[in-house]
């Protein structure tokens, strides 16, 4: 996936060594989550937060991954036609994704998304798709540009089949 930012950046699991206090994305709910909830969610295995660490040690962005289940009927019929008739389909939830406003427009969002999708593909846990809940129309358009598909009755909830992602990261 193109859009990787320059330099020696790394994405790592959120830990106590990361300074979360200065992170400001412009979306208060996402900022508040990183500052006050992300560490607890990690400790309680409710979500796995990952941070983009810049060369100076600052957090340039973050995302969270967790397991989820979707009702089979929520997916488009042409997608579910070949699936077993289980009531719930296992999926990976990309719960949050934010970039510090000082670094927006540099490809860090796409870089974080690529990292999240790659981690989801590498997981040894069964997952049919990666699911996202777009917080607004701009976020929805971002995911649409990255080949996510909207759910038929929930246009702000999008998905990308794991089979598609595996092909993206082959080789």
């Amino acid at each position: 996936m193109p859009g990787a930012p320059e330099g020696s950046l790394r994405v790592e699991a959120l830990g106590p060594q990361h300074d979360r206090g200065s992170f400001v994305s412009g979306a208060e709910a996402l900022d508040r989550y990183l500052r006050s909830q992300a560490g607890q969610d990690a400790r309680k295995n409710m979500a796995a937060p990952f941070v983009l660490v810049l060369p100076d040690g600052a957090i340039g962005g973050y995302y969270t991954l967790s397991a989820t289940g979707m009702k089979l009927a929520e997916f488009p019929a042409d997608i579910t036609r070949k699936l077993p008739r289980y009531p719930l389909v296992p999926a990976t939830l990309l719960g949050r994704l934010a970039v510090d406003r000082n670094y927006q427009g540099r490809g860090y969002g796409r870089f974080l998304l690529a990292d999240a999708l790659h981690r989801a593909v590498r997981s040894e846990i069964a997952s049919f798709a990666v699911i996202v809940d777009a917080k607004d129309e701009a976020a929805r358009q971002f995911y649409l540009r990255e080949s996510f598909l909207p759910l038929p009755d929930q246009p702000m909830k999008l998905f990308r089949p794991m089979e598609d992602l595996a092909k993206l990261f082959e080789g």
Side-chain angles (χ1 to χ4, degrees):
M1 189 177 278
E6 71 288 335
S8 59
L9 305 175
R10 65 189 186 281
V11 178
E12 57 192 39
L14 177 68
Q17 74 277 18
H18 297 115
D19 176 18
R20 299 174 282 169
S22 60
F23 183 86
V24 179
S25 69
E28 180 53 36
L30 294 173
D31 300 344
R32 186 175 47 253
Y33 175 82
L34 181 62
R35 280 189 229 112
S36 61
Q37 188 66 38
Q40 290 177 355
D41 280 0
R43 286 189 298 280
K44 294 178 181 177
N45 289 318
M46 299 304 291
F50 294 90
V51 293
L52 173 64
V53 181
L54 302 174
D56 67 358
I59 294 176
Y62 80 96
Y63 67 83
T64 64
L65 292 175
S66 59
T68 191
M70 298 282 298
K71 293 179 183 173
L72 185 65
E74 291 181 274
F75 290 100
D78 62 321
I79 299 286
T80 61
R81 197 171 291 125
K82 300 174 190 170
L83 295 179
R85 298 286 145 211
Y86 296 135
L88 288 178
V89 176
T92 301
L93 178 65
L94 175 56
R96 291 170 177 83
L97 188 151
V99 174
D100 187 287
R101 69 176 165 204
N102 293 317
Y103 307 103
Q104 292 174 1
R106 297 184 186 186
Y108 290 4
R110 291 189 81 208
F111 183 78
L112 284 165
L113 177 61
D115 189 82
L117 298 178
H118 191 240
R119 284 180 198 272
V121 166
R122 287 190 341 235
S123 173
E124 295 181 17
I125 303 299
S127 178
F128 171 71
V130 171
I131 308 294
V132 297
D133 285 303
K135 69 177 182 63
D136 57 28
E137 186 58 28
R140 182 178 183 276
Q141 291 302 316
F142 170 77
Y143 290 115
L144 288 171
R145 284 191 305 275
E146 299 301 327
S147 302
F148 278 75
L149 305 167
L151 291 173
D153 297 329
Q154 303 172 69
M156 298 302 279
K157 186 174 254 184
L158 301 98
F159 74 102
R160 189 150 179 202
M162 204 59 76
E163 181 178 47
D164 177 41
L165 295 172
K167 289 176 188 171
L168 183 67
F169 292 106
E170 281 179 353

